[in-house]
Amino acid sequence: MKNIIPVTFFALFLSCNFYAQNKEITPYQPSKSEILERYKKASQLDDAVKNTVFKTSIRANWQPDEKSFWYCNILKDSVREYILVDAVKGVKSELFDTAKLKKALSENTGKVLSEKSLVIDSLNYDAGTKLITLKYDKSYFEVLLSDYSIKKINALTKDPKKYPKLNRQWARWNSFRTDSISPNKKWIAFINKNNVFVKPVDGGESIQFTKDGTKEKPYGSLAWSPDSHYVVGYHITPVIDKPVYYVLTSVANTTRGELHSEPYKQPGDPFTTLEMYLFHVENQKATKVDTPIIDFFDAPELHWRKGDLGYFTYEKVDRGHQRFRILEVNAATGKARSIVDEKTKTFIYESRLFTHYLKESNQIVMTSEKDGWRHLYLVNSLNGKEKQITKGEWVVRSIDSIDENKKEIWFSASGINAGEDPYYVHHYRIGFDGKKLINLTPAKGNHIVNFSPNKQFYVDTYSEPNVPTVIELRRTLDGKKIIDLEKSDAADYLATGMSLPEPFHTKGRDGVTDIWGIICRPANYDPNKKYPVIESIYAGPQDSFVPKNFMDRYTTEMQSLAQLGFIVVQIDGMGTANRSKAFHDVCWKNLKDAGFEDRILWIKALAKKYAYVDDSRVGLYGTSAGGQNALGGLLFHPEFYKAGVAACGCHDNRVDKQWWNEQWMGYPVDKNYEEQSNVTNAKNLKGDLLLIIGEADENVPPESTYRVADELIKCGKTFEFLPLPGVGHSDGGPYGRKRKRDFFVKHLLGVDAPSRNNDELL
């Protein structure tokens, strides 16, 4: 008898589970009244987010002694609270007594302040004097917190010496020296009639170094050596970029369209070229440097050797992005040699290539993907010998700073922590020798770190798409947590019936690699109905795009669209960045791929897990490269994608901007450009399409979309077309998003959207 209840219960469980798996789930198709209510729900989402979720970030205002800081929380109904933190003691308190401050302001202004909230527009605080200066109700005040004495002032003042600039960042490209006066203040270098001259500051005859400079091929971009012995310059063959045009069709105060143009370099267009020269002031000699012509980018930054100023290095990226070099030049002879010479069969992602020149040791810290992952290397700039600093199947994401004295690098990376989304960013410190790796942000989640100016402390803000934000103060020395600052709360948001995005991952096309994305569901969805899927797509290879933070603003549109009765997803397929080099290389000369094989497998796996996901009704939408992808889904995978909205798409990579397209599609322009063009493949359109284009797009020329429309018309295809007067590079703004929603309601839900013309939707 003892086993009867468990066995019976188990049998009942199996029976119910079998029924659930085999029960026929009907497709979701709302009534007219229901869809109207869903539109209203969707329109309320922005307000729901703003009024129910708080404390997702803080801005630390550090005091001059860098031992304390204050920050402001904006709470419900715009109530503000000001918090003072003692970083050394790990204590936080109210910056001021709100009741006393209200009383002081009321007595000074003669106005009765609201009991509900004290809204201060801006505020400064001096911990030494306990003095705050603030702006309230369009006026400025100075308040001494020891006794709340107050006086009106003209404006807020801030001493830049007391308040150093925060969040210092490292930039890969820095401006090179272009001063005409030499470092020793004795010479002036200048261009006259397209040629190079140097003359003494104190007066005297000029030295003319060149005579073959012309208007068509001038000399320029002069830079002095630190010892004032040399001037580096270039014989330049300038190229004027051809223009692209657009017409503003609805201009006030005129009955005519207004023609606009701008210089715009497209793939294959020529570049200005530069030939490097050395001008020796004492010998009055000009030497052409034995180095390749610079035919890509501008004049480079020069790095002169520590201890021997007769040598300098500079960087060269070959057009086509398949070769990167650091070249050393002997100033006395003009001879050059390669210190670093990295080549690849696919591409070197130059924008993520970091280099930093150590001033005291003739070494270079740089990143490379030569072992299949983006890692840090230490290069001896005298002999080119290198040492790998970081290793493993993970990715260095950015460099925060480098301490040459301590021989330490502060950087962020993703993919180190096992059992975690490989895109989550964590922050680390490591020695030049690759030892003493310290994880400054050990908690699971995606981390954003802001250091105090002296880097003794840092504020660690971390979260996940469905896990509220936690904000902590930590000590840099050992990463120890000092105090919990804040934690966001979404209870009020969830009480509205909304759900948080859910991370989901499954295997990609290779059966090995995990593909990650998120899913947004409609509020109060019925698990016994099957909901169409809409993918928000952006497969640009320059980054990864699935939101990783709690209540990320990029998910708001997805969640709003979901309220109409859709499962809305976003996925990072192969060909995007921040994973292995092999993962990224899928995009090489293959932008039409867009990771579709991985995306389709992901959505099918989602439908297998959740019976309410209808993978027979799938649409997609995107902007810019996402617009190209949205149409690409209909052209190259019509068996899966049934409807698409493509906004301002770069539909033909020959029409789009040079720097972006040659990075991924290669140089010179070859047959791949034509074969992968949405224009070339427009004849293959199946399913339903809405094209959106702003007539004033200066990012992707509007003709990219018009050429698709023209080809679709020639092929007899039907589609919807929304040109927007005066609009730039955009998804169409509020109106375009409304039309997108109506489009998917009609073509995926199979019902007509409420009429906007008959005031069904206000």
Side-chain angles (χ1 to χ4, degrees):
M1 293 293 294
K2 292 182 179 180
N3 292 328
I4 290 179
I5 294 177
V7 170
T8 303
F9 178 81
F10 183 66
L12 180 62
F13 171 78
L14 287 178
S15 174
C16 292
N17 192 47
F18 176 82
Y19 173 76
Q21 289 179 348
N22 290 274
K23 178 183 177 183
E24 184 177 348
I25 300 180
T26 58
Y28 175 68
Q29 189 172 21
S31 64
K32 185 174 181 179
S33 59
E34 184 179 357
I35 197 65
L36 182 60
E37 287 302 312
R38 285 196 169 278
Y39 267 90
K40 292 178 180 178
K41 188 79 171 178
S43 67
Q44 295 168 356
L45 183 65
D46 285 344
D47 289 336
V49 172
K50 293 175 183 177
N51 296 323
T52 59
V53 181
F54 307 98
K55 300 183 179 181
T56 58
S57 65
I58 69 170
R59 181 183 181 274
N61 298 273
W62 287 92
Q63 292 301 294
D65 63 5
E66 301 187 35
K67 295 180 179 179
S68 64
F69 65 90
W70 64 268
Y71 64 91
C72 173
N73 284 325
I74 300 178
L75 308 176
K76 192 172 183 177
D77 299 323
S78 298
V79 172
R80 287 168 168 78
E81 63 175 8
Y82 291 83
I83 307 297
L84 178 65
V85 178
D86 186 321
V88 177
K89 296 179 180 179
V91 176
K92 70 175 188 174
S93 59
E94 290 187 351
L95 178 59
F96 51 77
D97 186 312
T98 302
K100 291 182 179 179
L101 181 58
K102 277 187 176 183
K103 182 180 178 181
L105 287 169
S106 179
E107 291 174 351
N108 186 279
T109 61
K111 298 179 181 179
V112 178
L113 273 66
S114 168
E115 292 290 333
K116 190 174 184 181
S117 172
L118 177 63
V119 179
I120 299 173
D121 292 327
S122 54
L123 178 146
N124 293 335
Y125 170 67
D126 188 328
T129 60
K130 304 295 183 182
L131 186 74
I132 61 172
T133 53
L134 60 91
K135 180 183 179 183
Y136 172 75
D137 194 27
K138 300 180 181 180
S139 297
Y140 299 93
F141 301 90
E142 194 174 79
V143 183
L144 191 62
L145 295 182
S146 59
D147 58 4
Y148 285 84
S149 57
I150 185 172
K151 66 178 180 179
K152 201 168 186 178
I153 57 177
N154 293 327
L156 299 186
T157 59
K158 186 177 258 192
D159 184 347
K161 294 181 181 178
K162 287 186 177 182
Y163 300 91
K165 187 177 180 181
L166 304 180
N167 302 329
R168 289 170 281 191
Q169 298 292 325
W170 288 85
R172 169 161 152 59
W173 297 107
N174 299 304
S175 58
F176 55 90
R177 189 182 183 92
T178 56
D179 309 67
S180 60
I181 300 179
S182 63
N184 64 9
K185 311 300 182 185
K186 294 182 178 180
W187 302 95
I188 299 175
F190 61 98
I191 302 294
N192 183 30
K193 295 182 179 179
N194 305 301
N195 283 290
V196 178
F197 291 80
V198 173
K199 68 178 181 181
V201 170
D202 297 335
E205 188 175 347
S206 297
I207 305 168
Q208 183 172 359
F209 279 97
T210 67
K211 297 182 179 180
D212 57 339
T214 63
K215 182 179 180 181
E216 293 72 27
K217 193 171 181 177
Y219 284 87
S221 295
L222 305 180
W224 282 97
S225 65
D227 61 5
S228 304
H229 291 168
Y230 299 94
V231 175
V232 178
Y234 302 87
H235 201 184
I236 303 170
T237 304
V239 168
I240 298 176
D241 292 335
K242 294 180 180 179
V244 292
Y245 301 90
Y246 63 88
V247 176
L248 295 180
T249 57
S250 184
V251 182
N253 303 319
T254 179
T255 57
R256 303 175 186 274
E258 192 174 89
L259 179 65
H260 288 249
S261 67
E262 61 171 340
Y264 194 97
K265 193 184 294 296
Q266 294 178 330
D269 284 356
F271 267 84
T272 292
T273 60
L274 302 92
E275 297 176 89
M276 183 181 287
Y277 278 79
L278 276 158
F279 306 107
H280 196 297
V281 178
E282 293 179 2
N283 296 342
Q284 300 186 15
K285 179 181 178 182
T287 302
K288 183 178 180 181
V289 179
D290 183 21
T291 189
I293 290 177
I294 298 170
D295 60 353
F296 196 44
F297 294 144
D298 296 321
E301 181 181 7
L302 308 179
H303 303 273
W304 292 84
R305 182 188 291 181
K306 174 72 174 181
D308 186 349
L309 295 178
Y311 295 84
F312 66 87
T313 59
Y314 73 95
E315 299 176 9
K316 185 179 190 305
V317 178
D318 284 10
R319 189 169 183 181
H321 301 271
Q322 292 184 289
R323 189 180 189 186
F324 170 76
R325 281 173 283 180
I326 299 179
L327 295 152
E328 182 190 71
V329 176
N330 182 327
T333 65
K335 298 294 182 182
R337 66 186 180 109
S338 294
I339 300 298
V340 172
D341 191 350
E342 188 169 331
K343 303 174 186 177
T344 178
K345 292 182 179 179
T346 54
F347 59 86
I348 294 172
Y349 188 9
E350 186 278 324
S351 295
R352 294 289 178 90
L353 176 60
F354 172 89
T355 55
H356 177 71
Y357 294 78
L358 303 175
K359 297 179 180 179
E360 301 301 322
S361 60
N362 289 315
Q363 291 177 306
I364 306 166
V365 175
M366 63 176 293
T367 57
S368 173
E369 293 182 288
K370 65 180 66 180
D371 77 342
W373 301 83
R374 187 184 309 121
H375 279 298
L376 293 168
Y377 292 79
L378 186 66
V379 179
N380 185 317
S381 61
L382 301 180
N383 55 31
K385 291 183 179 180
E386 65 180 37
K387 179 179 180 179
Q388 188 167 354
I389 300 172
T390 60
K391 299 177 182 178
E393 294 186 353
W394 48 273
V395 178
V396 171
R397 296 288 291 268
S398 66
I399 310 300
D400 177 82
S401 61
I402 296 175
D403 189 324
E404 189 171 358
N405 293 327
K406 294 182 179 180
K407 294 182 170 55
E408 291 179 341
I409 304 171
W410 309 57
F411 68 99
S412 69
S414 57
I416 295 182
N417 293 12
E420 197 176 280
D421 184 327
Y423 293 94
Y424 284 171
V425 173
H426 290 263
H427 294 257
Y428 302 87
R429 185 172 72 243
I430 196 171
F432 285 4
D433 58 3
K435 298 178 181 179
K436 297 182 180 179
L437 176 67
I438 296 178
N439 185 354
L440 299 172
T441 55
K444 181 183 179 183
N446 193 52
H447 292 255
I448 300 171
V449 162
N450 288 288
F451 290 96
S452 63
N454 63 10
K455 288 190 171 293
Q456 291 184 1
F457 306 98
Y458 60 97
V459 175
D460 179 17
T461 303
Y462 62 94
S463 66
E464 300 179 66
N466 56 347
V467 178
T469 305
V470 174
I471 308 175
E472 302 169 343
L473 177 66
R474 289 179 172 268
R475 187 171 63 193
T476 306
L477 178 65
D478 52 10
K480 181 181 178 180
K481 182 170 71 173
I482 297 174
I483 187 175
D484 292 312
L485 295 175
E486 302 293 347
K487 183 175 182 179
S488 58
D489 184 1
D492 290 347
Y493 173 80
L494 296 175
T496 66
M498 301 292 183
S499 60
L500 296 173
E502 177 191 339
F504 179 75
H505 67 277
T506 190
K507 300 301 180 186
R509 70 186 77 178
D510 60 3
V512 177
T513 307
D514 284 333
I515 304 298
W516 288 77
I518 58 171
I519 169 177
C520 297
R521 302 174 180 83
N524 304 316
Y525 69 93
D526 183 352
N528 295 313
K529 299 287 186 182
K530 293 182 77 72
Y531 293 85
V533 179
I534 300 176
E535 180 183 354
S536 171
I537 188 170
Y538 191 98
Q542 73 269 23
D543 211 335
S544 53
F545 305 97
V546 175
K548 302 298 177 184
N549 298 322
F550 181 69
M551 301 306 294
D552 193 298
R553 65 186 179 90
Y554 292 108
T555 64
T556 302
E557 172 63 9
M558 294 174 60
Q559 291 175 293
S560 181
L561 183 57
Q563 305 320 311
L564 299 180
F566 301 108
I567 303 297
V568 183
V569 304
Q570 188 169 1
I571 309 156
D572 281 320
M574 291 186 184
T576 51
N578 300 323
R579 299 289 290 277
S580 68
K581 175 66 172 163
F583 189 102
H584 202 185
D585 278 349
V586 169
C587 74
W588 175 241
K589 294 192 174 184
N590 189 30
L591 288 184
K592 79 170 186 178
D593 179 281
F596 280 126
E597 291 186 51
D598 311 302
R599 298 170 188 277
I600 292 169
L601 287 171
W602 192 96
I603 294 172
K604 287 182 176 180
L606 187 69
K608 188 175 181 179
K609 180 177 181 179
Y610 298 119
Y612 53 81
V613 174
D614 188 352
D615 62 359
S616 69
R617 293 185 291 168
V618 181
L620 72 174
Y621 70 92
T623 302
S624 193
Q628 177 184 17
N629 307 143
L631 176 52
L634 301 181
L635 299 180
F636 306 121
H637 296 276
E639 78 290 346
F640 188 75
Y641 295 105
K642 308 304 180 186
V645 177
C648 61
C650 35
H651 296 293
D652 190 314
N653 298 106
R654 297 168 295 184
V655 176
D656 193 22
K657 64 193 76 64
Q658 174 280 326
W659 66 265
W660 195 90
N661 292 273
E662 285 187 10
Q663 170 73 77
W664 318 115
M665 291 294 289
Y667 175 81
V669 175
D670 59 17
K671 64 179 182 180
N672 287 292
Y673 280 80
E674 178 181 3
E675 291 175 351
Q676 298 189 41
S677 163
N678 286 348
V679 178
T680 305
N681 291 282
K683 60 182 180 294
N684 299 322
L685 176 65
K686 293 183 180 179
D688 300 295
L689 170 66
L690 168 60
L691 291 173
I692 299 175
I693 185 63
E695 68 177 7
D697 194 335
E698 296 181 345
N699 186 326
V700 178
E703 56 258 41
S704 188
T705 295
Y706 277 96
R707 287 171 184 265
V708 170
D710 182 48
E711 192 63 26
L712 290 171
I713 292 169
K714 290 176 181 177
C715 296
K717 299 290 183 177
T718 58
F719 61 100
E720 295 183 37
F721 187 58
L722 177 60
L724 296 164
V727 173
H729 194 64
S730 164
D731 65 351
Y735 183 73
R737 290 190 284 276
K738 290 177 183 178
R739 290 289 300 273
K740 174 183 68 182
R741 296 178 185 194
D742 296 350
F743 176 86
F744 283 130
V745 164
K746 176 180 179 180
H747 293 291
L748 291 182
L749 289 178
V751 297
D752 289 332
S755 172
R756 300 181 187 278
N757 297 350
N758 296 328
D759 298 329
E760 289 183 317
L761 285 176
L762 299 178

